[in-house]
Amino acid sequence: MGSPEHKMEQSMDEALPEVLMRIVSELHDVAYLIERIEPQLLDLVDEVAVQSADCMKVLQGIDLAVQKTRGLAEFIDTVTSGISDDWMVDVSTAVSLVKLADMQKALAGGIRHGHSQPLSKAAGDFDFF
């Protein structure tokens, strides 16, 4: 058995539609995680701060980030429906550039999943590089 780096250097030819659908899944996950931030921010700030223009811009920016992320996911999903399953792509270089281990596994492993961030993690839990 080789090292993880050696495994990543090997060719990873996969059907392009399957790769794109895993990206769609990750984008939906990102939108969900961003969406969870807004209520937490509202709990942290007082009523006066929420009424300020700067605070409203931040909250609107969060909403826009969610809409854009979901929009990109839907765009890729729609484009993917017109791509033949015969189209193959080597994802080894692209996957090696992804720094988050869970996302790297999801994109490289050929498995679409629900949310990559378990909701059962306690506040403050994080992956330390």
Side-chain angles (χ1 to χ4, degrees):
M1 297 257 184
S3 68
E5 291 81 15
H6 178 68
K7 289 179 184 177
M8 294 306 264
E9 292 171 8
Q10 296 174 351
S11 178
M12 296 175 62
D13 288 342
E14 297 186 47
L16 181 58
E18 181 59 33
V19 172
L20 292 174
M21 290 309 294
R22 291 196 311 264
I23 293 169
V24 166
S25 177
E26 288 298 318
L27 286 170
H28 280 296
D29 190 23
V30 168
Y32 174 74
L33 292 171
I34 294 169
E35 204 169 39
R36 289 180 55 201
I37 293 170
E38 193 170 24
Q40 300 299 319
L41 286 177
L42 289 173
D43 287 345
L44 293 175
V45 297
D46 59 20
E47 192 174 317
V48 175
V50 174
Q51 293 176 5
S52 77
D54 287 338
C55 187
M56 287 309 295
K57 286 179 185 178
V58 169
L59 294 175
Q60 288 174 339
I62 292 170
D63 288 338
L64 181 59
V66 169
Q67 290 173 24
K68 283 186 165 192
T69 305
R70 285 204 173 112
L72 285 169
E74 293 305 317
F75 176 82
I76 294 170
D77 189 12
T78 302
V79 168
T80 301
S81 67
I83 298 175
S84 170
D85 285 337
D86 296 337
W87 288 19
M88 301 298 284
V89 61
D90 180 0
V91 297
S92 56
T93 301
V95 167
S96 70
L97 299 173
V98 175
K99 302 301 180 202
L100 296 172
D102 289 343
M103 186 184 299
Q104 191 177 62
K105 287 177 193 171
L107 293 173
I111 300 170
R112 272 188 260 158
H113 56 82
H115 296 292
S116 66
Q117 286 293 315
L119 299 179
S120 60
K121 277 192 173 183
D125 285 357
F126 65 96
D127 293 327
F128 194 67
F129 306 107

